[in-house]
Amino acid sequence: MDLDAYVDAHRRQWTRLEDLVGRGRLSGGESDELLDLYQRASTHLSVVRTTAPDPQVVAYLSSLLVRARVRTAGERTSSWHDAVHFFTQSFPAALYRSWRWWVTTAVASILLAVVAGWWAARNPEFFAAQMSPQEIEAYVGTDFEGYYSKYAHTEFAGQVWTNNAWVAAQAIAFGVLGLPTLYVLATNAVNVGFAGALMITHGRGPLFFGLILPHGLLELTAIFIAGGVGLRLFWSWVAPGRRTRGQAFAAAGRTAIGIVLGLVVVLLVSGVLEGFVTPSPLPTWARITIGVVVELLFLAYVFVVGRAAARRGVTGDVGEREQGYAVPLACVGGAAWRAAYELVSRVGLLFTDRDICG
């Protein structure tokens, strides 16, 4: 192939594509022309690479196509505005919209912990079969309390944070199957119930609650949220409603990922409380008060900020462009375009007209 002749034959199309890429708002006809020229230039690049891979021509066409692609798909950059929007709109709205799931999870888990603790307290032989008298004495006397001051505050807070974030992520990820999430939640509740029963039956109840409540209120709330969201993820494909199972599961999954990211910050706060407040020399009432205040602030964040955002229509899901289904649509009307839109929408594709039309 004569590369110079090929370049001369298509130079006007490339120049026109550059012109359209550099313009502001495009009309419907110009938008269609931009898409057509983008496809043609893609073919030209493929031909050049295959038959006469000149580095300058390849670099020029590649750069032109990248700019055209950004123009047709819409440029998207992350900023502090995105982070602010996430924590003031998306995350609290997602928490509020799923509150029935995680509040139900919390109630069920607390009841299970109480029942497990009551049973263990009524059956002291259970602990005798699991631990020796020396081990029980050590756990009740020093080990339970010493756990919170064994490591340096910063190191301990980091360990707690990563461990709890991992548990929360598992609870949500296992939600695909449902039963594993129930197992994680049940195991956590039963362990808390058994530990409480062991401490209470040996007269160490005030110490148990004095060490658990400062950080545990927020920490357990985060775990309950993770479990509830995981179960909601499971239910999304069991009972998808009017959407296909894939669409329902994808929407629930995207929201779940956002909640996971938000819970990382929530569990960071909980880790700081556990690392610095729980083992502090503050009076028990002061440490518990700090935990209660933080928990109330978080609940206000969900049911005040989140409720307001949800009423404004925020779902916690990402936008169409981030979902990967956005397809440029020219700014033209007519029955033919409306029919095409309805037809393609039925098979799951989402058009957006703001990418090209401004």
Side-chain angles (χ1 to χ4, degrees), residues 13 17 20 29-44 72:
Q13 295 178 350
L17 179 58
L20 292 174
E30 289 173 334
S31 299
D32 289 337
E33 185 182 6
L34 174 63
L35 292 175
D36 179 64
L37 290 175
Y38 172 79
Q39 294 172 348
R40 289 175 182 270
S42 298
T43 303
H44 299 159
T72 57

Side-chain angles (χ1 to χ4, degrees), residues 46 248 357:
S46 177
C357 307

Side-chain angles (χ1 to χ4, degrees), residues 71-340:
R71 183 61 194 272
T72 57
E75 186 174 5
R76 180 71 172 141
T77 57
S78 297
S79 65
W80 282 108
H81 178 270
D82 297 318
V84 172
H85 181 271
F86 175 76
F87 284 108
T88 60
Q89 304 289 326
S90 299
F91 180 49
L95 293 178
Y96 179 76
R97 288 180 177 273
S98 59
W99 74 267
R100 290 178 178 82
W101 286 92
W102 55 267
V103 168
T104 301
T105 299
V107 172
S109 297
I110 293 172
L111 288 176
L112 179 58
V114 170
V115 170
W118 175 82
W119 179 86
R122 295 291 298 272
N123 296 273
E125 64 275 8
F126 168 75
F127 293 116
Q130 303 295 322
M131 307 166 66
S132 67
Q134 293 77 15
E135 290 174 332
I136 293 177
E137 182 178 355
Y139 181 85
V140 172
T142 59
D143 291 354
F144 185 84
E145 182 178 9
Y147 167 77
Y148 296 99
S149 56
K150 183 177 181 180
Y151 303 98
H153 296 314
T154 304
E155 179 183 356
F156 183 60
Q159 291 177 349
V160 169
W161 177 36
T162 54
N163 177 72
N164 290 335
W166 175 242
V167 172
Q170 283 183 309
I172 293 179
F174 288 155
V176 176
L177 301 177
L179 289 178
T181 296
L182 291 175
Y183 175 78
V184 170
L185 293 171
T187 300
N188 185 67
V190 169
N191 287 338
V192 171
F194 285 167
L198 185 59
M199 294 291 289
I200 292 172
T201 54
H202 287 79
R204 305 284 278 177
L207 177 65
F208 173 78
F209 290 108
L211 292 174
I212 286 292
L213 292 180
H215 67 274
L217 291 173
L218 185 63
E219 177 184 293
L220 290 175
T221 299
I223 299 301
F224 296 150
I225 290 173
V229 171
L231 295 175
R232 185 188 186 192
L233 185 63
F234 168 72
W235 196 249
S236 68
W237 64 264
V238 172
R242 296 183 178 181
R243 294 178 292 185
T244 66
R245 296 185 190 279
Q247 291 172 337
F249 183 76
R254 291 189 299 267
T255 303
I257 291 174
I259 291 178
V260 168
L261 295 176
L263 287 181
V264 169
V265 177
V266 175
L267 289 170
L268 173 60
V269 176
S270 172
V272 170
L273 291 176
E274 189 168 358
F276 292 90
V277 176
T278 298
S280 72
L282 291 173
T284 299
W285 67 264
R287 289 185 281 111
I288 293 178
T289 299
I290 292 174
V292 170
V293 169
V294 172
E295 174 72 1
L296 291 176
L297 288 174
F298 177 73
L299 294 178
Y301 172 71
V302 174
F303 291 100
V304 177
V305 179
R307 182 182 182 184
R311 285 186 170 182
R312 289 192 295 270
V314 181
T315 64
D317 196 357
V318 298
E320 294 175 3
R321 184 181 295 128
E322 291 82 357
Q323 293 175 20
Y325 297 103
V327 179
L329 179 65
C331 296
V332 294
W337 279 104
R338 290 195 296 271

